[in-house]
Amino acid sequence: MDIRISGHQVAIGDALKAHVQDRLQGIADKYFARAISAEVTFGKGPHDNGFTCDIVAHVTRGLILKGSHVAHDAHLVFDGTADKIEKQLRRYVRRLKDRHAAHAATEEAQDRNGYDNAGYTLFAEQIGEDDAGDAPLVIAETRVDVPDASVSDAVMMLDLRNTQALLFKNAGTGSYNMVYRRGDGTIGWVEPQRGG
């Protein structure tokens, strides 16, 4: 796995670089040995007090994990961020296993009953981390790839990317859909009305 470590107004020592390399490589080997790359950025904490750490990990094409943490020690701030990335990867691997098991069970039921099932699964797992707070005043425009995915895959990507909304092209219908995190922690799904 390609790991890039940088400091924004912070000097990064060799011991910290070695710790980052070892921990991220260990996480990748444990959960997803084919991980592509990770970018680790250290910075000054709020009011120049302590440190911040941001990790953006590209696990597979289209799967990006993000995590950040603030602490008074550089090693602690990295470990806190790495714990978040590890938790996301563990959740992703568990959902893949659950989805494969559910898919096999659905196929078996279809063979027995002779009919097709919709097979949508919506995860309403609440994340007790930082609340979004007030809406920011600055709006940034970015270009992103719109993935082709099932609804359950889109919900998984929403969780793993640590975002509030995700636009995707529904693999089943070919139309553009959106999933988003509601205020109560559940997932909302927007599908355009079909003309007909």
Side-chain angles (χ1 to χ4, degrees), residues 4 16 28 52 71-72 74 87 89-90 102 143 145 147 181 185 195:
R4 284 182 248 141
L16 182 58
T52 63
H72 290 288
K87 179 180 177 183
L89 260 178
R90 185 172 49 246
R143 291 181 181 245
D145 293 327
R181 187 167 313 282

Side-chain angles (χ1 to χ4, degrees), residues 77-159:
V77 76
F78 169 73
D79 287 337
T81 310
D83 288 345
K84 291 177 184 179
I85 294 294
E86 186 171 10
K87 179 180 177 183
Q88 291 173 355
L89 260 178
R90 185 172 49 246
R91 186 182 307 149
Y92 173 70
V93 170
R94 183 179 67 234
R95 286 184 180 170
L96 281 179
K97 288 178 183 176
D98 291 348
R99 187 175 72 191
H100 289 302
H103 183 65
T106 301
E107 283 182 354
E108 183 180 318
Q110 288 174 356
D111 289 343
R112 276 194 315 250
N113 299 330
Y115 62 89
D116 192 32
N117 230 345
Y120 291 137
T121 305
L122 297 182
F123 301 97
E125 188 173 317
Q126 292 190 9
I127 300 173
E129 296 182 8
D130 302 329
D131 293 329
D134 294 335
L137 298 176
V138 178
I139 298 173
E141 291 185 25
T142 57
R143 291 181 181 245
V144 295
D145 293 327
V146 177
D148 286 344
S150 67
V151 176
S152 60
D153 286 346
V155 171
M156 186 173 15
M157 283 187 255
L158 175 78
D159 239 5

Side-chain angles (χ1 to χ4, degrees), residues 9 19 34 46 53 58 61 65 74 77 82 85 88 101 109 119 137 151 155 158 163-164 173 177-178 181-182 184:
Q9 298 179 348
H19 177 64
R34 295 173 293 166
C53 179
H58 298 269
R61 187 171 177 233
L65 305 177
V77 76
I85 294 294
Q88 291 173 355
L137 298 176
V151 176
V155 171
L158 175 78
T163 61
Q164 296 296 313
T173 63
N177 288 200
M178 183 178 73
R181 187 167 313 282
R182 297 167 49 113
D184 60 0

